[in-house]
Amino acid sequence: GDSIYIATPGGSVKARNVRERGSASVMVDSREPGGAMKTASGYGPAVVLEGDDAAPINMRIFERYLSAEAIADPNCGGYMIANDDVTVKVTPARWNWLDLGEAFGGVFETPGYTLPLG
């Protein structure tokens, strides 16, 4: 849908700030082969989901980014499942887009200037 979900510990600064402010910002970047970099940042209302509302969403996040072996490993998936006990749901009301290659005259496309993600 129109929301972004972030698994996090319930006692984290991130969760505390959303509880206090009721809003949040998110930034996503992408790097293409050859160095092209684009970013999107959004800002809007946010809530902290807990318990049975958070657990299935967090598991979907873990399954998206971790292998089954990593999820089964108590030092990886087990740790994340035990600690990331809430979900921050951000529904950006506005977005800003930036092509860093255009904004900085192509400097980020210079080989070796940026590191690979991951």
Side-chain angles (χ1 to χ4, degrees), residues 2-10 12-26 43-51 53-54 57-58 61 85-92:
D2 295 330
S3 298
I4 296 174
Y5 298 87
I6 304 159
T8 193
S12 68
V13 172
K14 186 182 313 176
R16 186 175 68 234
N17 286 344
V18 169
R19 285 185 184 108
E20 290 174 5
R21 298 180 180 128
S23 63
S25 61
V26 295
Y43 175 81
V47 295
V48 175
L49 306 176
E50 302 185 44
D53 293 327
I57 295 169
N58 287 355
I61 294 169
D85 58 336
V86 303
T87 308
V88 171
K89 177 184 176 185
V90 184
T91 307

Side-chain angles (χ1 to χ4, degrees), residues 66-113:
L66 299 173
S67 68
E69 293 78 16
I71 291 172
D73 183 338
N75 293 315
C76 184
Y79 178 85
M80 293 175 74
I81 291 166
N83 287 285
D84 289 354
D85 58 336
V86 303
T87 308
V88 171
K89 177 184 176 185
V90 184
T91 307
R94 66 177 188 258
W95 285 94
N96 294 310
W97 308 88
L98 179 62
D99 182 325
L100 292 173
E102 290 178 13
F104 292 94
V107 70
F108 285 107
E109 295 179 19
T110 303
Y113 270 39

